[in-house]
Protein backbone atom coordinates (compact mmCIF):
# COMPACT_ATOMS: atom_id res chain seq x y z
CA UNK A 1 0.00 0.00 0.00
CA UNK A 2 1.27 3.47 -0.88
CA UNK A 3 2.44 5.39 2.14
CA UNK A 4 1.57 9.07 1.82
CA UNK A 5 4.03 11.24 3.72
CA UNK A 6 5.13 14.82 3.28
CA UNK A 7 7.60 14.77 0.39
CA UNK A 8 9.26 17.17 -2.00
CA UNK A 9 7.09 18.78 -4.65
CA UNK A 10 8.26 16.38 -7.36
CA UNK A 11 7.03 13.34 -5.40
CA UNK A 12 3.73 15.09 -4.69
CA UNK A 13 3.18 15.82 -8.36
CA UNK A 14 4.07 12.22 -9.24
CA UNK A 15 1.49 10.94 -6.72
CA UNK A 16 -1.15 13.33 -8.04
CA UNK A 17 -0.44 12.21 -11.60
CA UNK A 18 -0.82 8.58 -10.51
CA UNK A 19 -4.22 9.36 -8.99
CA UNK A 20 -5.16 11.26 -12.15
CA UNK A 21 -4.24 8.27 -14.33
CA UNK A 22 -6.18 5.85 -12.11
CA UNK A 23 -9.25 8.08 -12.12
CA UNK A 24 -9.06 8.39 -15.90
CA UNK A 25 -9.54 4.62 -16.11
CA UNK A 26 -11.84 4.11 -13.09
CA UNK A 27 -13.63 7.46 -13.06
CA UNK A 28 -17.31 7.96 -13.48
CA UNK A 29 -20.23 7.04 -11.35
CA UNK A 30 -20.48 3.35 -12.19
CA UNK A 31 -17.13 1.77 -13.11
CA UNK A 32 -16.10 0.91 -9.56
CA UNK A 33 -19.58 -0.53 -8.93
CA UNK A 34 -19.22 -2.70 -12.03
CA UNK A 35 -15.77 -3.90 -11.04
CA UNK A 36 -17.02 -4.72 -7.54
CA UNK A 37 -19.89 -6.76 -9.02
CA UNK A 38 -17.61 -8.57 -11.48
CA UNK A 39 -15.12 -9.48 -8.75
CA UNK A 40 -17.70 -12.12 -7.78
CA UNK A 41 -17.40 -13.73 -11.21
CA UNK A 42 -18.74 -13.37 -14.75
CA UNK A 43 -22.19 -11.85 -15.05
CA UNK A 44 -24.74 -11.35 -17.76
CA UNK A 45 -25.81 -7.85 -18.74
CA UNK A 46 -29.21 -8.37 -17.09
CA UNK A 47 -27.53 -9.52 -13.85
CA UNK A 48 -25.43 -6.35 -13.75
CA UNK A 49 -28.48 -4.23 -14.46
CA UNK A 50 -30.32 -5.91 -11.57
CA UNK A 51 -27.38 -5.95 -9.13
CA UNK A 52 -26.33 -2.32 -9.53
CA UNK A 53 -29.11 -0.22 -8.14
CA UNK A 54 -29.82 2.96 -10.12
CA UNK A 55 -27.88 2.32 -13.33
CA UNK A 56 -29.81 2.57 -16.59
CA UNK A 57 -29.42 0.15 -19.47
CA UNK A 58 -27.99 2.84 -21.74
CA UNK A 59 -25.38 3.87 -19.18
CA UNK A 60 -24.50 0.25 -18.37
CA UNK A 61 -23.89 -0.46 -22.04
CA UNK A 62 -21.68 2.63 -22.41
CA UNK A 63 -19.68 1.90 -19.27
CA UNK A 64 -19.08 -1.73 -20.29
CA UNK A 65 -17.88 -0.62 -23.73
CA UNK A 66 -15.47 1.89 -22.17
CA UNK A 67 -14.22 -0.73 -19.74
CA UNK A 68 -13.71 -3.17 -22.61
CA UNK A 69 -11.70 -0.54 -24.52
CA UNK A 70 -9.57 0.05 -21.41
CA UNK A 71 -9.08 -3.73 -21.08
CA UNK A 72 -10.72 -3.99 -17.67
CA UNK A 73 -13.57 -6.19 -18.90
CA UNK A 74 -13.87 -9.00 -21.41
CA UNK A 75 -17.14 -9.68 -23.23
CA UNK A 76 -17.80 -13.26 -24.26
CA UNK A 77 -20.71 -15.04 -25.93
CA UNK A 78 -21.61 -18.52 -24.72
CA UNK A 79 -22.16 -21.30 -27.22
CA UNK A 80 -25.56 -22.16 -25.82
CA UNK A 81 -28.85 -21.93 -27.65
CA UNK A 82 -29.53 -18.48 -26.21
CA UNK A 83 -26.04 -17.12 -27.08
CA UNK A 84 -25.88 -15.43 -23.69
CA UNK A 85 -23.38 -12.58 -23.37
CA UNK A 86 -21.20 -12.56 -20.27
CA UNK A 87 -18.89 -9.90 -18.90
CA UNK A 88 -15.91 -10.70 -16.74
CA UNK A 89 -12.86 -8.92 -15.46
CA UNK A 90 -9.62 -9.33 -17.34
CA UNK A 91 -6.39 -9.98 -15.45
CA UNK A 92 -5.84 -6.21 -15.60
CA UNK A 93 -9.33 -5.64 -14.18
CA UNK A 94 -8.62 -8.18 -11.43
CA UNK A 95 -5.61 -6.06 -10.43
CA UNK A 96 -8.09 -3.57 -8.93
CA UNK A 97 -9.27 -6.12 -6.34
CA UNK A 98 -7.18 -4.71 -3.50
CA UNK A 99 -8.31 -1.15 -4.29
CA UNK A 100 -11.97 -2.17 -4.29
CA UNK A 101 -11.53 -4.19 -1.08
CA UNK A 102 -10.02 -1.22 0.77
CA UNK A 103 -12.70 1.10 -0.58
CA UNK A 104 -15.49 -1.31 0.45
CA UNK A 105 -13.98 -1.76 3.91
CA UNK A 106 -13.70 2.00 4.37
CA UNK A 107 -17.27 2.50 3.15
CA UNK A 108 -18.64 -0.11 5.53
CA UNK A 109 -16.80 1.53 8.44
CA UNK A 110 -18.17 4.93 7.48
CA UNK A 111 -21.70 3.53 7.29
CA UNK A 112 -21.28 2.22 10.85
CA UNK A 113 -20.03 5.64 12.03
CA UNK A 114 -22.96 7.41 10.41
CA UNK A 115 -25.57 4.93 11.65
CA UNK A 116 -24.09 5.00 15.15
CA UNK A 117 -23.95 8.82 15.10
CA UNK A 118 -27.57 9.09 13.92
CA UNK A 119 -28.78 6.60 16.54
CA UNK A 120 -27.13 8.66 19.31
CA UNK A 121 -29.24 11.73 18.51
Amino acid sequence: MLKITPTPTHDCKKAIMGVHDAMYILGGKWKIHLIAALLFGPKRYSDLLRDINGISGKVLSRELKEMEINQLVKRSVSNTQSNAVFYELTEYGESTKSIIAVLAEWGEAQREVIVHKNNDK
Side-chain angles (χ1 to χ4, degrees):
M1 181 179 236
L2 176 66
K3 185 176 179 184
I4 305 290
T5 56
T7 60
T9 302
H10 176 74
D11 290 344
C12 180
K13 287 183 180 181
K14 185 177 176 183
I16 290 169
M17 188 55 141
V19 169
H20 172 76
D21 293 344
M23 294 309 297
Y24 177 79
I25 300 294
L26 301 175
K29 186 174 179 180
W30 301 106
K31 286 185 180 76
I32 292 177
H33 294 80
L34 286 164
I35 291 170
L38 291 171
L39 281 169
F40 291 92
K43 292 189 181 271
R44 294 175 70 160
Y45 179 90
S46 58
D47 295 332
L48 291 167
L49 199 55
R50 183 190 64 241
D51 290 348
I52 300 173
N53 194 20
I55 193 169
S56 71
K58 182 178 178 181
V59 171
L60 175 58
S61 181
R62 185 186 69 227
E63 293 286 274
L64 287 168
K65 284 177 188 170
E66 287 179 15
M67 292 173 75
E68 199 172 354
I69 289 168
N70 288 320
Q71 301 177 2
L72 292 168
V73 169
K74 180 177 102 177
R75 180 183 184 271
S76 53
V77 181
S78 70
N79 292 330
T80 63
Q81 226 175 355
S82 65
N83 288 332
V85 176
F86 287 89
Y87 293 91
E88 62 184 305
L89 291 175
T90 62
E91 187 176 330
Y92 179 55
E94 291 272 348
S95 73
T96 64
K97 187 174 188 171
S98 61
I99 298 166
I100 303 302
V102 169
L103 191 59
E105 195 175 292
W106 185 83
E108 289 171 14
Q110 295 315 301
R111 180 179 300 134
E112 289 298 317
V113 168
I114 291 167
V115 167
H116 182 72
K117 186 177 179 179
N118 287 336
N119 286 339
D120 287 346
K121 287 184 178 181

